[in-house]
């Protein structure tokens, strides 16, 4: 259990998707104008990433490796993540229609989100089992959620601040992301995946 907790913390902080791997920057820039949409996307990532990392880990370790078909990894991962995202959304629509109606808008964002595919591919680099892969996906989703909620809170604060004209908009946001990335570098000594 200690290894799973270490994977969870490391995936969320030390090997953060957005700040360390630069995956998922586009939804962070697009969705982080307000805290509520950021929380909704974070919730959807928490539901989808553990499922997709576990599914792609099983396909990689049980199908592609034994059949010596590792060259199909990217195609199989794209197909698997797309099917798992759509099936998770369909299951959520049946079991929790209220939650689905709240998160329905963000499903297309997840389908084209490079962080979902990136997490699945990063997971296959490590010799994880299905349980560890689920913890890796959960930690990655938590790390993504931390970043997008922090950025949205900072953006709401910057909106009322007196920012010089040249730094308004995307400029100050990218500077903020760069500063956050440097701040998260301090976690890299704590079980990073590199």
């Amino acid at each position: 259990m200690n290894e799973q907790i270490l994977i969870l913390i490391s995936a969320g902080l030390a090997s953060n998707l957005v700040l360390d791997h630069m995956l998922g920057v586009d939804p962070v820039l697009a969705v982080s104008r307000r805290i509520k949409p950021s929380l909704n996307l974070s919730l959807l990532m928490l539901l989808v990433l553990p499922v997709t990392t576990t599914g792609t880990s099983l396909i990689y370790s049980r199908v592609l490796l034994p059949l010596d078909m590792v060259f199909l990894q990217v195609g199989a991962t794209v197909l698997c993540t797309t099917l798992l995202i759509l099936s998770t959304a369909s299951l959520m629509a049946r079991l929790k229609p209220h939650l689905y109606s709240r998160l329905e808008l963000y499903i297309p964002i997840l389908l084209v989100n490079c962080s979902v595919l990136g997490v699945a591919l990063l997971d296959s680099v490590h010799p994880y089992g299905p349980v560890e892969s689920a913890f890796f996906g959960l930690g990655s989703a938590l790390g993504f959620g931390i970043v997008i909620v922090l950025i949205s809170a900072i953006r709401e604060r910057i909106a009322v601040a007196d920012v010089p004209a040249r730094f308004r908009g995307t400029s100050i946001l990218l500077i903020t992301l760069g500063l956050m990335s440097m701040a998260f570098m301090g976690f890299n000594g704590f079980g990073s995946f590199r």
Side-chain angles (χ1 to χ4, degrees), residues 46-140:
L46 277 171
L47 294 172
V48 168
L49 273 181
V51 173
T52 57
T53 53
T54 304
T56 55
S57 170
L58 287 171
I59 288 175
Y60 182 75
S61 64
R62 302 272 167 26
V63 177
L64 296 179
L65 273 178
L67 295 176
D68 196 28
M69 297 171 60
V70 180
F71 60 91
L72 293 174
Q73 178 184 7
V74 174
T77 303
V78 169
L79 182 64
C80 181
T81 56
T82 303
L83 290 174
L84 288 172
I85 288 171
L86 292 175
S87 62
T88 303
S90 175
L91 187 65
M92 187 176 24
R94 287 192 181 127
L95 297 178
K96 299 282 185 182
H98 175 69
L99 181 64
Y100 177 75
S101 66
R102 201 173 100 193
L103 301 176
E104 177 180 24
L105 174 69
Y106 304 102
I107 291 169
I109 293 172
L110 274 187
L111 287 172
V112 297
N113 192 347
C114 62
S115 60
V116 176
L117 179 62
V119 169
L121 290 173
L122 281 172
D123 180 55
S124 67
V125 172
H126 307 290
Y128 293 148
V131 175
E132 289 84 8
S133 293
F135 274 93
F136 181 72
L138 185 64
S140 297

Side-chain angles (χ1 to χ4, degrees), residues 2 13 49 93 141 150 157 182 194:
N2 288 336
L13 297 177
L49 273 181
L150 282 175
R157 187 87 174 161
M182 289 190 316
R194 291 183 183 183

